Amino acid sequence: MLWKCAAARRAAADPVRKTYAGGSPEAPGYPLVGYLVGRAAFESGLTSLRDFPGRSVAITQVGSSYHCSLHLPARKYGFDLGTVRLQPLQSLSNMTSALTGGRVGAALLPTTILPDLVRSGAAHLLGWVGDETP
């Protein structure tokens, strides 16, 4: 999945920069990172990945795997990622707080955090990265 991101490909091609990658790959049926929508945003009509244009979405950092995971539905559903207001919040805890506090409409969060937010009703799961954009 990482190599599908243009930023990662450019970084890997840089002869001066060394690129190291880690983590787990996204694959169908393997829930790792989910697309979550906050309760207020869901109630105001953000109910699918196609609705991301014009909305704010929390990511950790520009160029991160979370950022790359937004390029994939943009390509799949035909919207310009430039129309999505990316909010690089630096940490998962900041992303979770922004989502539950309504400062962003959506966030990409891992399965270690996601279930409690969905169970509590603070967020709605739109899908898993591996299932939506394998």
Side-chain angles (χ1 to χ4, degrees):
M1 194 287 293
L2 182 62
W3 294 108
K4 292 181 181 178
C5 177
R9 286 193 305 272
R10 282 192 302 275
D14 186 333
V16 176
R17 188 180 312 167
K18 297 288 184 199
T19 302
Y20 299 93
S24 301
E26 297 288 349
Y30 181 71
L32 181 62
V33 174
Y35 298 103
L36 283 178
V37 175
R39 181 181 13 225
F42 188 84
E43 290 170 357
S44 72
L46 180 51
T47 59
S48 81
L49 296 175
R50 290 180 178 88
D51 300 326
F52 274 21
R55 302 295 188 130
S56 60
V57 180
I59 60 172
T60 51
Q61 299 173 351
V62 172
S64 68
S65 61
Y66 294 94
H67 184 202
C68 290
S69 293
L70 283 174
H71 284 273
L72 303 174
R75 188 176 320 142
K76 179 179 179 180
Y77 294 114
F79 61 85
D80 180 359
L81 191 58
T83 63
V84 178
R85 293 189 310 269
L86 299 178
Q87 302 294 313
L89 299 178
Q90 308 306 317
S91 72
L92 298 175
S93 59
N94 288 347
M95 292 166 59
T96 302
S97 178
L99 182 68
T100 58
R103 292 191 315 260
V104 297
L108 284 85
L109 289 168
T111 192
T112 54
I113 297 171
L114 185 150
D116 289 337
L117 295 175
V118 172
R119 270 195 295 274
S120 72
H124 296 267
L125 177 64
L126 295 184
W128 297 101
V129 171
D131 291 336
E132 282 291 329
T133 52

